[in-house]
Amino acid sequence: MSMRARRPPQVARRLGMVLLLAVLLPGCAPAARTELPREARGASVHAARQKASALTDDYLRRINNSGPVQGTLDGCEDLRPQRVGFAWRCSITRAGTVTGTSVNDSLSGLHTRLRAEGCSAAPGLQATLRRNREGLAPRYLYDVDYRCAQGVVVVIRFSEPNDPTLPQKLNLRETTYSPGGANVISEEPFAAETLDAMRADKSKKVIMLIAVQKQYWQMPVE
């Protein structure tokens, strides 16, 4: 009898449980790739994805003064439970950061560049500015959204080196309009060394995430 045939029953049970968890746990790649409809892997959707990727990269480069892409997320949101006329919506996000000594200076420069691109801020910008004037730390400021040409959305999140929630602030699965983590196609989170460097630089008082998102495909409900 082979060694494979003599595998203890408890080992087989453990292997079965591991495989089951890999399928059921939220955010796991096997669950995402078996859940998505086959249309999401078609040639036309792939072409739209490539176009959206190039567009978001270009936007991020321009508004972030050629700063590097530090995180990416490509995924699809399951809209069936929401009953909004579409079954799936897929989008791609490219993200970088801006660091500075004050929210006013860092946000002012970014706001100017976004306005030059024809982007307009959502009404929440004024509430964020008001909270900043009241002396709240950057970690307590609201996110700010900008709507740009070609369906591009830019989300800005505020943090600081000593913010214990900094990893969550840089998690692209948790930004506004994100497809989330249940149906991820590809992802490159912020590197641990990038996070460590931000935390170590105490000369900076504000860290701003800049997440540039573009929807590239949605599937109507049949």
Side-chain angles (χ1 to χ4, degrees):
M1 184 182 292
S2 69
M3 292 297 291
R4 184 183 299 273
R6 292 201 304 269
R7 177 178 291 158
Q10 64 268 28
V11 174
R13 285 195 297 269
R14 288 173 184 169
L15 287 174
M17 182 61 69
V18 169
L19 292 173
L20 180 62
L21 288 174
V23 173
L24 295 181
L25 283 177
C28 290
R33 291 173 182 168
T34 55
E35 175 75 12
L36 289 173
R38 65 180 183 276
E39 290 88 347
R41 305 180 190 89
S44 61
V45 177
H46 177 71
R49 180 183 295 116
Q50 295 298 102
K51 185 177 179 180
S53 177
L55 179 63
T56 51
D57 280 349
D58 191 45
Y59 253 90
L60 181 62
R61 177 186 58 79
R62 294 201 304 269
I63 65 177
N64 198 17
N65 283 333
S66 298
V69 176
Q70 295 170 298
T72 68
L73 176 64
D74 179 8
C76 301
E77 182 181 5
D78 185 353
L79 299 176
R80 289 172 294 182
Q82 301 180 28
R83 302 181 184 277
V84 293
F86 291 94
W88 292 94
R89 176 187 297 142
C90 302
S91 62
I92 194 162
T93 303
R94 294 288 188 268
T97 53
V98 169
T99 58
T101 56
S102 77
V103 171
N104 279 338
D105 292 344
S106 299
L107 183 57
S108 176
L110 181 57
H111 179 78
T112 299
R113 292 190 294 274
L114 283 162
R115 293 288 292 171
E117 294 293 332
C119 304
S120 58
L125 174 61
Q126 297 306 316
T128 295
L129 294 175
R130 184 183 68 252
R131 290 170 71 88
N132 181 56
R133 289 194 299 268
E134 292 171 351
L136 272 70
R139 75 183 76 172
Y140 299 120
L141 299 180
Y142 299 134
D143 294 0
V144 176
D145 305 340
Y146 284 80
R147 299 302 180 100
C148 308
Q150 303 182 72
V152 170
V153 176
V154 179
V155 178
I156 302 170
R157 308 186 88 178
F158 300 88
S159 187
E160 53 197 303
N162 62 346
D163 181 0
T165 66
L166 178 58
Q168 287 72 44
K169 295 288 182 66
L170 300 179
N171 185 350
L172 299 182
R173 296 184 179 196
E174 298 183 8
T175 57
T176 311
Y177 313 113
S178 167
N183 299 286
V184 172
I185 295 172
S186 65
E187 182 178 26
E188 185 176 343
F190 277 69
E193 53 267 28
T194 299
L195 183 61
D196 291 342
M198 290 178 183
R199 283 173 163 164
D201 189 357
K202 303 304 183 184
S203 68
K204 305 301 183 184
K205 304 301 181 184
V206 59
I207 299 168
M208 296 195 316
L209 169 74
I210 307 172
V212 183
Q213 185 192 72
K214 167 65 177 174
Q215 177 184 312
Y216 60 81
W217 181 70
Q218 55 184 5
M219 179 180 180
V221 174
E222 294 182 355

